[in-house]
Amino acid sequence: MNHAPRSSLVGRRTVCSRLLAAALLPALAACTKKKEELRCDDTIGMNPDDANARKLLVYVDKSPEPAKSCANCALYKPGAPDACGGCAALKGPINPAGYCKSWAAKPA
Ligand code: SF4
């Protein structure tokens, strides 16, 4: 029986583990990649008055008020999952995590 020297076995294990790591790292990175944040602040192509109304009501894509966001506002019109929705007060795309000065609590 032909036995490989111990140092050769260790070398093969090291090479194999490095190859495995090299093959798995991109997959692992893809799995752990943070989900891209939804952006709903593009006003390109909007009527200037409608775009300005967003500025006047200080619409932001991320609410500064932890308990208040478009998702729990009475005026929010949900979109598809993971997509921008709409609003009864403002035109254009609205982020469920967004906020503006017209926030109103949903009726209980
Ligand atoms: Fe969001 Fe303001 Fe519209 Fe309410 S009124 S859904 S807080 S943009």
Side-chain angles (χ1 to χ4, degrees):
M1 201 177 332
N2 187 9
H3 292 284
R6 184 166 173 72
S7 63
S8 174
L9 281 177
V10 171
R12 255 187 264 153
R13 280 190 197 138
T14 303
V15 169
C16 285
S17 63
R18 285 186 181 159
L19 285 174
L20 186 61
L24 292 178
L25 276 178
L28 185 63
C31 290
T32 59
K33 187 177 177 186
K34 189 179 171 191
K35 192 175 171 184
E36 236 175 76
E37 284 189 29
L38 179 65
R39 298 282 310 264
C40 306
D41 56 357
D42 185 2
T43 57
I44 292 173
M46 282 182 67
N47 171 320
D49 290 341
D50 293 337
N52 198 38
R54 293 167 70 100
K55 286 183 189 160
L56 290 173
L57 291 178
V58 196
Y59 169 78
V60 288
D61 249 4
K62 183 151 177 55
S63 177
E65 303 262 348
K68 298 176 181 176
S69 69
C70 295
N72 66 11
C73 174
L75 303 173
Y76 184 63
K77 299 174 183 174
D82 297 326
C84 301
C87 172
L90 291 178
K91 296 231 170 83
I94 300 293
N95 195 319
Y99 177 78
C100 87
K101 286 182 171 181
S102 286
W103 184 89
K106 284 182 179 178

PDB file of all heavy atoms in Angstrom, residues 57 59 69-71 73-77 86-90 94-95 98-104, ligand 1:
ATOM      1  N   LEU A  57     -43.952  69.893   2.477  1.00  0.00           N
ATOM      2  CA  LEU A  57     -44.366  69.025   3.598  1.00  0.00           C
ATOM      3  C   LEU A  57     -43.187  68.237   4.164  1.00  0.00           C
ATOM      4  O   LEU A  57     -43.364  67.379   5.021  1.00  0.00           O
ATOM      5  CB  LEU A  57     -45.484  68.082   3.154  1.00  0.00           C
ATOM      6  CG  LEU A  57     -46.821  68.770   2.858  1.00  0.00           C
ATOM      7  CD1 LEU A  57     -47.858  67.772   2.369  1.00  0.00           C
ATOM      8  CD2 LEU A  57     -47.345  69.495   4.105  1.00  0.00           C
ATOM      9  N   TYR A  59     -41.210  65.910   2.944  1.00  0.00           N
ATOM     10  CA  TYR A  59     -41.223  64.452   2.798  1.00  0.00           C
ATOM     11  C   TYR A  59     -39.792  63.925   2.828  1.00  0.00           C
ATOM     12  O   TYR A  59     -38.905  64.457   2.175  1.00  0.00           O
ATOM     13  CB  TYR A  59     -41.893  64.027   1.477  1.00  0.00           C
ATOM     14  CG  TYR A  59     -41.680  62.563   1.207  1.00  0.00           C
ATOM     15  CD1 TYR A  59     -42.438  61.612   1.866  1.00  0.00           C
ATOM     16  CD2 TYR A  59     -40.667  62.126   0.360  1.00  0.00           C
ATOM     17  CE1 TYR A  59     -42.208  60.258   1.679  1.00  0.00           C
ATOM     18  CE2 TYR A  59     -40.428  60.774   0.156  1.00  0.00           C
ATOM     19  CZ  TYR A  59     -41.203  59.847   0.825  1.00  0.00           C
ATOM     20  OH  TYR A  59     -40.968  58.516   0.649  1.00  0.00           O
ATOM     21  N   SER A  69     -44.570  56.757  10.628  1.00  0.00           N
ATOM     22  CA  SER A  69     -44.030  56.567   9.277  1.00  0.00           C
ATOM     23  C   SER A  69     -45.207  56.488   8.323  1.00  0.00           C
ATOM     24  O   SER A  69     -46.362  56.348   8.749  1.00  0.00           O
ATOM     25  CB  SER A  69     -43.194  55.290   9.205  1.00  0.00           C
ATOM     26  OG  SER A  69     -44.036  54.169   9.320  1.00  0.00           O
ATOM     27  N   CYS A  70     -44.902  56.573   7.057  1.00  0.00           N
ATOM     28  CA  CYS A  70     -45.974  56.507   6.062  1.00  0.00           C
ATOM     29  C   CYS A  70     -46.768  55.208   6.213  1.00  0.00           C
ATOM     30  O   CYS A  70     -47.987  55.206   6.041  1.00  0.00           O
ATOM     31  CB  CYS A  70     -45.391  56.622   4.664  1.00  0.00           C
ATOM     32  SG  CYS A  70     -44.622  58.234   4.349  1.00  0.00           S
ATOM     33  N   ALA A  71     -46.093  54.127   6.560  1.00  0.00           N
ATOM     34  CA  ALA A  71     -46.774  52.837   6.666  1.00  0.00           C
ATOM     35  C   ALA A  71     -47.901  52.864   7.702  1.00  0.00           C
ATOM     36  O   ALA A  71     -48.890  52.149   7.553  1.00  0.00           O
ATOM     37  CB  ALA A  71     -45.774  51.749   7.023  1.00  0.00           C
ATOM     38  N   CYS A  73     -49.530  55.747   8.515  1.00  0.00           N
ATOM     39  CA  CYS A  73     -50.246  57.011   8.297  1.00  0.00           C
ATOM     40  C   CYS A  73     -51.579  56.704   7.610  1.00  0.00           C
ATOM     41  O   CYS A  73     -51.654  55.850   6.724  1.00  0.00           O
ATOM     42  CB  CYS A  73     -49.402  57.937   7.418  1.00  0.00           C
ATOM     43  SG  CYS A  73     -50.246  59.457   6.928  1.00  0.00           S
ATOM     44  N   ALA A  74     -52.603  57.419   8.004  1.00  0.00           N
ATOM     45  CA  ALA A  74     -53.939  57.219   7.437  1.00  0.00           C
ATOM     46  C   ALA A  74     -53.980  57.556   5.950  1.00  0.00           C
ATOM     47  O   ALA A  74     -54.859  57.069   5.230  1.00  0.00           O
ATOM     48  CB  ALA A  74     -54.944  58.076   8.193  1.00  0.00           C
ATOM     49  N   LEU A  75     -53.044  58.354   5.470  1.00  0.00           N
ATOM     50  CA  LEU A  75     -53.079  58.794   4.076  1.00  0.00           C
ATOM     51  C   LEU A  75     -52.255  57.908   3.139  1.00  0.00           C
ATOM     52  O   LEU A  75     -52.232  58.128   1.930  1.00  0.00           O
ATOM     53  CB  LEU A  75     -52.576  60.244   3.985  1.00  0.00           C
ATOM     54  CG  LEU A  75     -53.354  61.249   4.842  1.00  0.00           C
ATOM     55  CD1 LEU A  75     -52.684  62.609   4.815  1.00  0.00           C
ATOM     56  CD2 LEU A  75     -54.789  61.353   4.371  1.00  0.00           C
ATOM     57  N   TYR A  76     -51.580  56.911   3.712  1.00  0.00           N
ATOM     58  CA  TYR A  76     -50.699  56.053   2.902  1.00  0.00           C
ATOM     59  C   TYR A  76     -51.489  55.049   2.083  1.00  0.00           C
ATOM     60  O   TYR A  76     -52.463  54.466   2.560  1.00  0.00           O
ATOM     61  CB  TYR A  76     -49.718  55.316   3.812  1.00  0.00           C
ATOM     62  CG  TYR A  76     -48.709  54.482   3.057  1.00  0.00           C
ATOM     63  CD1 TYR A  76     -47.796  55.072   2.203  1.00  0.00           C
ATOM     64  CD2 TYR A  76     -48.677  53.099   3.201  1.00  0.00           C
ATOM     65  CE1 TYR A  76     -46.870  54.306   1.499  1.00  0.00           C
ATOM     66  CE2 TYR A  76     -47.752  52.330   2.511  1.00  0.00           C
ATOM     67  CZ  TYR A  76     -46.854  52.942   1.661  1.00  0.00           C
ATOM     68  OH  TYR A  76     -45.941  52.186   0.974  1.00  0.00           O
ATOM     69  N   LYS A  77     -51.047  54.874   0.839  1.00  0.00           N
ATOM     70  CA  LYS A  77     -51.640  53.871  -0.063  1.00  0.00           C
ATOM     71  C   LYS A  77     -50.547  52.855  -0.362  1.00  0.00           C
ATOM     72  O   LYS A  77     -49.634  53.142  -1.152  1.00  0.00           O
ATOM     73  CB  LYS A  77     -52.089  54.532  -1.369  1.00  0.00           C
ATOM     74  CG  LYS A  77     -53.140  55.603  -1.204  1.00  0.00           C
ATOM     75  CD  LYS A  77     -53.364  56.260  -2.560  1.00  0.00           C
ATOM     76  CE  LYS A  77     -54.353  57.394  -2.472  1.00  0.00           C
ATOM     77  NZ  LYS A  77     -54.452  58.122  -3.768  1.00  0.00           N
ATOM     78  N   GLY A  86     -48.115  54.998  -2.384  1.00  0.00           N
ATOM     79  CA  GLY A  86     -48.570  56.331  -2.740  1.00  0.00           C
ATOM     80  C   GLY A  86     -49.146  57.021  -1.526  1.00  0.00           C
ATOM     81  O   GLY A  86     -49.107  56.495  -0.408  1.00  0.00           O
ATOM     82  N   CYS A  87     -49.666  58.184  -1.742  1.00  0.00           N
ATOM     83  CA  CYS A  87     -50.185  58.987  -0.635  1.00  0.00           C
ATOM     84  C   CYS A  87     -51.364  59.806  -1.126  1.00  0.00           C
ATOM     85  O   CYS A  87     -51.359  60.288  -2.260  1.00  0.00           O
ATOM     86  CB  CYS A  87     -49.073  59.898  -0.129  1.00  0.00           C
ATOM     87  SG  CYS A  87     -49.616  61.110   1.089  1.00  0.00           S
ATOM     88  N   ALA A  88     -52.374  59.974  -0.267  1.00  0.00           N
ATOM     89  CA  ALA A  88     -53.538  60.774  -0.620  1.00  0.00           C
ATOM     90  C   ALA A  88     -53.217  62.263  -0.599  1.00  0.00           C
ATOM     91  O   ALA A  88     -53.916  63.056  -1.229  1.00  0.00           O
ATOM     92  CB  ALA A  88     -54.690  60.469   0.339  1.00  0.00           C
ATOM     93  N   ALA A  89     -52.147  62.664   0.088  1.00  0.00           N
ATOM     94  CA  ALA A  89     -51.809  64.086   0.212  1.00  0.00           C
ATOM     95  C   ALA A  89     -50.708  64.507  -0.751  1.00  0.00           C
ATOM     96  O   ALA A  89     -50.680  65.661  -1.183  1.00  0.00           O
ATOM     97  CB  ALA A  89     -51.385  64.391   1.645  1.00  0.00           C
ATOM     98  N   LEU A  90     -49.802  63.610  -1.075  1.00  0.00           N
ATOM     99  CA  LEU A  90     -48.659  63.945  -1.927  1.00  0.00           C
ATOM    100  C   LEU A  90     -48.629  63.040  -3.145  1.00  0.00           C
ATOM    101  O   LEU A  90     -48.941  61.862  -3.045  1.00  0.00           O
ATOM    102  CB  LEU A  90     -47.346  63.764  -1.151  1.00  0.00           C
ATOM    103  CG  LEU A  90     -47.058  64.739  -0.026  1.00  0.00           C
ATOM    104  CD1 LEU A  90     -45.752  64.377   0.669  1.00  0.00           C
ATOM    105  CD2 LEU A  90     -46.988  66.163  -0.552  1.00  0.00           C
ATOM    106  N   ILE A  94     -43.927  56.972  -2.625  1.00  0.00           N
ATOM    107  CA  ILE A  94     -43.854  57.183  -1.164  1.00  0.00           C
ATOM    108  C   ILE A  94     -43.288  55.928  -0.513  1.00  0.00           C
ATOM    109  O   ILE A  94     -43.773  54.815  -0.740  1.00  0.00           O
ATOM    110  CB  ILE A  94     -45.256  57.490  -0.584  1.00  0.00           C
ATOM    111  CG1 ILE A  94     -45.842  58.764  -1.216  1.00  0.00           C
ATOM    112  CG2 ILE A  94     -45.208  57.587   0.930  1.00  0.00           C
ATOM    113  CD1 ILE A  94     -45.134  60.051  -0.882  1.00  0.00           C
ATOM    114  N   ASN A  95     -42.292  56.134   0.291  1.00  0.00           N
ATOM    115  CA  ASN A  95     -41.641  55.028   0.998  1.00  0.00           C
ATOM    116  C   ASN A  95     -42.449  54.680   2.245  1.00  0.00           C
ATOM    117  O   ASN A  95     -42.787  55.585   3.022  1.00  0.00           O
ATOM    118  CB  ASN A  95     -40.223  55.454   1.398  1.00  0.00           C
ATOM    119  CG  ASN A  95     -39.351  54.297   1.799  1.00  0.00           C
ATOM    120  OD1 ASN A  95     -39.790  53.398   2.485  1.00  0.00           O
ATOM    121  ND2 ASN A  95     -38.113  54.336   1.357  1.00  0.00           N
ATOM    122  N   GLY A  98     -41.110  56.262   5.101  1.00  0.00           N
ATOM    123  CA  GLY A  98     -40.972  57.717   5.004  1.00  0.00           C
ATOM    124  C   GLY A  98     -41.841  58.479   5.994  1.00  0.00           C
ATOM    125  O   GLY A  98     -42.488  57.898   6.879  1.00  0.00           O
ATOM    126  N   TYR A  99     -41.871  59.777   5.794  1.00  0.00           N
ATOM    127  CA  TYR A  99     -42.596  60.645   6.735  1.00  0.00           C
ATOM    128  C   TYR A  99     -42.733  62.035   6.124  1.00  0.00           C
ATOM    129  O   TYR A  99     -41.882  62.449   5.333  1.00  0.00           O
ATOM    130  CB  TYR A  99     -41.819  60.742   8.046  1.00  0.00           C
ATOM    131  CG  TYR A  99     -42.414  61.669   9.078  1.00  0.00           C
ATOM    132  CD1 TYR A  99     -43.493  61.282   9.849  1.00  0.00           C
ATOM    133  CD2 TYR A  99     -41.889  62.944   9.270  1.00  0.00           C
ATOM    134  CE1 TYR A  99     -44.040  62.139  10.799  1.00  0.00           C
ATOM    135  CE2 TYR A  99     -42.423  63.801  10.218  1.00  0.00           C
ATOM    136  CZ  TYR A  99     -43.495  63.393  10.976  1.00  0.00           C
ATOM    137  OH  TYR A  99     -44.033  64.236  11.912  1.00  0.00           O
ATOM    138  N   CYS A 100     -43.786  62.743   6.498  1.00  0.00           N
ATOM    139  CA  CYS A 100     -43.905  64.163   6.146  1.00  0.00           C
ATOM    140  C   CYS A 100     -44.727  64.845   7.231  1.00  0.00           C
ATOM    141  O   CYS A 100     -45.262  64.198   8.122  1.00  0.00           O
ATOM    142  CB  CYS A 100     -44.525  64.353   4.760  1.00  0.00           C
ATOM    143  SG  CYS A 100     -46.323  64.392   4.743  1.00  0.00           S
ATOM    144  N   LYS A 101     -44.830  66.168   7.113  1.00  0.00           N
ATOM    145  CA  LYS A 101     -45.520  66.957   8.137  1.00  0.00           C
ATOM    146  C   LYS A 101     -47.016  66.695   8.195  1.00  0.00           C
ATOM    147  O   LYS A 101     -47.676  67.086   9.139  1.00  0.00           O
ATOM    148  CB  LYS A 101     -45.295  68.453   7.882  1.00  0.00           C
ATOM    149  CG  LYS A 101     -43.921  68.941   8.224  1.00  0.00           C
ATOM    150  CD  LYS A 101     -43.841  70.433   7.982  1.00  0.00           C
ATOM    151  CE  LYS A 101     -42.557  71.009   8.510  1.00  0.00           C
ATOM    152  NZ  LYS A 101     -42.505  72.466   8.288  1.00  0.00           N
ATOM    153  N   SER A 102     -47.568  66.039   7.163  1.00  0.00           N
ATOM    154  CA  SER A 102     -49.012  65.766   7.162  1.00  0.00           C
ATOM    155  C   SER A 102     -49.357  64.409   7.757  1.00  0.00           C
ATOM    156  O   SER A 102     -50.492  63.949   7.630  1.00  0.00           O
ATOM    157  CB  SER A 102     -49.559  65.844   5.730  1.00  0.00           C
ATOM    158  OG  SER A 102     -49.629  67.171   5.320  1.00  0.00           O
ATOM    159  N   TRP A 103     -48.388  63.765   8.414  1.00  0.00           N
ATOM    160  CA  TRP A 103     -48.666  62.454   8.993  1.00  0.00           C
ATOM    161  C   TRP A 103     -49.933  62.516   9.849  1.00  0.00           C
ATOM    162  O   TRP A 103     -50.136  63.461  10.623  1.00  0.00           O
ATOM    163  CB  TRP A 103     -47.505  61.978   9.857  1.00  0.00           C
ATOM    164  CG  TRP A 103     -47.710  60.590  10.392  1.00  0.00           C
ATOM    165  CD1 TRP A 103     -47.355  59.435   9.815  1.00  0.00           C
ATOM    166  CD2 TRP A 103     -48.342  60.243  11.639  1.00  0.00           C
ATOM    167  NE1 TRP A 103     -47.712  58.363  10.606  1.00  0.00           N
ATOM    168  CE2 TRP A 103     -48.337  58.830  11.731  1.00  0.00           C
ATOM    169  CE3 TRP A 103     -48.928  60.972  12.665  1.00  0.00           C
ATOM    170  CZ2 TRP A 103     -48.873  58.157  12.816  1.00  0.00           C
ATOM    171  CZ3 TRP A 103     -49.469  60.287  13.746  1.00  0.00           C
ATOM    172  CH2 TRP A 103     -49.429  58.887  13.820  1.00  0.00           C
ATOM    173  N   ALA A 104     -50.800  61.538   9.679  1.00  0.00           N
ATOM    174  CA  ALA A 104     -52.038  61.452  10.476  1.00  0.00           C
ATOM    175  C   ALA A 104     -52.226  60.013  10.922  1.00  0.00           C
ATOM    176  O   ALA A 104     -52.067  59.078  10.111  1.00  0.00           O
ATOM    177  CB  ALA A 104     -53.227  61.887   9.614  1.00  0.00           C
TER     178      ALA A 104
HETATM  179 FE1  SF4 B   1     -46.376  59.681   4.327  1.00  0.00          FE
HETATM  180 FE2  SF4 B   1     -47.011  62.221   4.694  1.00  0.00          FE
HETATM  181 FE3  SF4 B   1     -48.346  60.828   2.906  1.00  0.00          FE
HETATM  182 FE4  SF4 B   1     -48.688  60.304   5.483  1.00  0.00          FE
HETATM  183  S1  SF4 B   1     -49.229  62.194   4.451  1.00  0.00           S
HETATM  184  S2  SF4 B   1     -48.395  58.807   3.842  1.00  0.00           S
HETATM  185  S3  SF4 B   1     -46.635  60.695   6.314  1.00  0.00           S
HETATM  186  S4  SF4 B   1     -46.163  61.326   2.821  1.00  0.00           S
END
